[in-house]
Amino acid sequence: MPCLASDAAAFYAAQSPFSDPGDLTPLYAALPSEPRELARVARDLMVHRMEGDLFTYAIPQDRLHNDAETRYIDGILRIVTARDDAPLSQRRDVGDRFVGVCRDFALLLCSFLRHVGIPARIRSGFADYFGADGFHVDHVVTEYWDPTRGWLLADPELADPLVVETHKVGFDPMDVPRDRFQVAGDAWQQIRAGEADPKSYGLPLPDGPLVGEWFVAGNVRLDLAALNKVETLLWDIWGVGASSDREMTDTIRKLYDRAAEVTVGEVSYSAARQLFEENHGLRTPRTVTSLAPFNGPSEVALRD
């Protein structure tokens, strides 16, 4: 029987500044308590900004550009309830949903799980089930504690039969195989060992994909932060890193070797906490640079 240390269990079962519904906590009163049902609720409140065609919905430009800039769950809930104030457990019409990205689905499920006392965290990495064969797409999922099996990966984006059918998913979305979603540190270690092509990891974009060692390193930084319950936007940057493979140095690589080491496999809670707290090149500062895809770069002060 797996065992989660009491300090880690308490830490991951408590809300973070990002996942806390705050004064909207009463909205959670009627939520189910079972993880699979909570994933369905999260899925039915959101539509991915790339799913307009899938759901035959022309996403308004202002929602496409601005919804996913919402860092905190209370802000997401305000948008959802302003469009339809029904109980959260009621499936929304696509036109009434929050228009987000994978991080938003994962964080909402994480918030729900923490509310019902289930330790949960989000994980940054790469999925092989959204793109072409051999390409690993930048992605975020939820990791939650199962008392009989330990930490399991859940992808709430897949909690809709249409999405499962479209992507031909052949596994349980509440138990994503770890070779189908690789946490960022695992991808980094495979690349460093020469076992994986860094150009097969990244974000496919119309103007050309963002791929390479530098991109994977950035995801390692995001994953370490998320393990410390700092669940920023995916385009928030800080600390030591690079914006292209040409800028990567041995010093940067060694730093991410260390970060990857503490974020893969059976993650040591104390080691992840210590590295994050003691290394200024990895620790999230009070102010980050947001490279918003539609709205441009800005400096953003995060909540305490």
Side-chain angles (χ1 to χ4, degrees):
M1 185 77 69
C3 179
L4 184 62
S6 59
D7 55 350
F11 182 73
Y12 290 119
Q15 300 288 7
S16 72
F18 294 86
S19 70
D20 193 348
D23 62 355
L24 298 182
T25 300
L27 294 175
Y28 285 15
L31 287 176
S33 59
E34 201 273 324
R36 189 177 303 275
E37 288 301 306
L38 292 171
R40 181 198 60 77
V41 172
R43 170 71 254 196
D44 290 348
L45 295 174
M46 293 185 168
V47 60
H48 195 285
R49 60 167 42 155
M50 300 299 292
E51 289 180 334
D53 289 344
L54 179 63
F55 286 94
T56 60
Y57 171 56
I59 300 174
Q61 286 293 104
D62 63 322
R63 298 184 184 186
L64 185 71
H65 292 187
N66 297 319
D67 277 19
E69 296 301 321
T70 310
R71 278 178 176 73
Y72 307 103
I73 285 298
D74 62 342
I76 290 175
L77 293 172
R78 291 185 204 285
I79 290 173
V80 168
T81 54
R83 293 174 185 165
D84 184 339
D85 63 359
L88 296 184
S89 57
Q90 181 172 313
R91 179 184 175 93
R92 291 332 195 243
D93 291 338
V94 178
D96 291 329
R97 297 186 189 186
F98 179 88
V99 180
V101 296
C102 55
R103 174 262 186 189
D104 305 313
F105 288 87
L107 185 61
L108 185 59
L109 175 57
C110 188
S111 178
F112 289 167
L113 290 164
R114 289 171 177 170
H115 177 74
V116 299
I118 297 174
R121 56 204 188 188
I122 69 171
R123 302 301 305 268
S124 288
F126 300 90
D128 72 355
Y129 45 88
F130 287 122
D133 289 346
F135 191 80
H136 302 79
V137 177
D138 175 42
H139 195 47
V140 178
V141 300
T142 310
E143 192 171 44
Y144 67 104
W145 182 257
D146 181 288
T148 63
R149 298 186 55 203
W151 288 107
L152 301 179
L153 298 173
D155 190 341
E157 276 192 57
L158 302 181
D160 185 303
L162 177 60
V163 179
V164 169
E165 180 182 354
T166 298
H167 296 291
K168 297 178 171 55
V169 174
F171 53 80
D172 181 355
M174 298 305 295
D175 186 11
V176 180
R178 292 183 183 268
D179 62 344
R180 305 301 306 275
F181 176 86
Q182 287 181 271
V183 296
D186 182 50
W188 175 262
Q189 289 184 337
Q190 287 196 8
I191 290 167
R192 290 283 279 153
E195 298 171 355
D197 180 0
K199 290 184 171 52
S200 70
Y201 291 86
L203 184 63
L205 295 173
D207 296 332
L210 296 176
V211 296
E213 247 189 343
W214 70 275
F215 191 93
V216 176
N219 265 26
V220 175
R221 183 173 61 240
L222 287 170
D223 193 44
L224 178 64
L227 286 168
N228 284 272
K229 295 202 312 189
V230 181
E231 300 118 347
T232 66
L233 299 183
L234 303 186
W235 39 88
D236 288 342
I237 62 170
W238 65 87
V240 174
S243 58
S244 71
D245 278 352
R246 291 188 302 275
E247 297 177 10
M248 292 292 288
T249 66
D250 286 342
T251 299
I252 295 174
R253 292 185 180 96
K254 288 178 182 176
L255 176 63
Y256 285 98
D257 286 343
R258 176 61 182 141
E261 182 181 345
V262 303
T263 58
V264 299
E266 295 295 326
V267 175
S268 166
Y269 167 72
S270 59
R273 294 287 285 156
Q274 182 175 357
L275 180 63
F276 188 69
E277 290 173 358
E278 295 181 356
N279 194 296
H280 74 277
L282 297 170
R283 184 177 62 252
T284 313
R286 179 77 172 79
T287 299
V288 299
T289 301
S290 175
L291 303 179
F294 295 105
N295 298 332
S298 63
E299 299 297 305
V300 178
L302 302 177
R303 287 181 185 173
D304 293 328

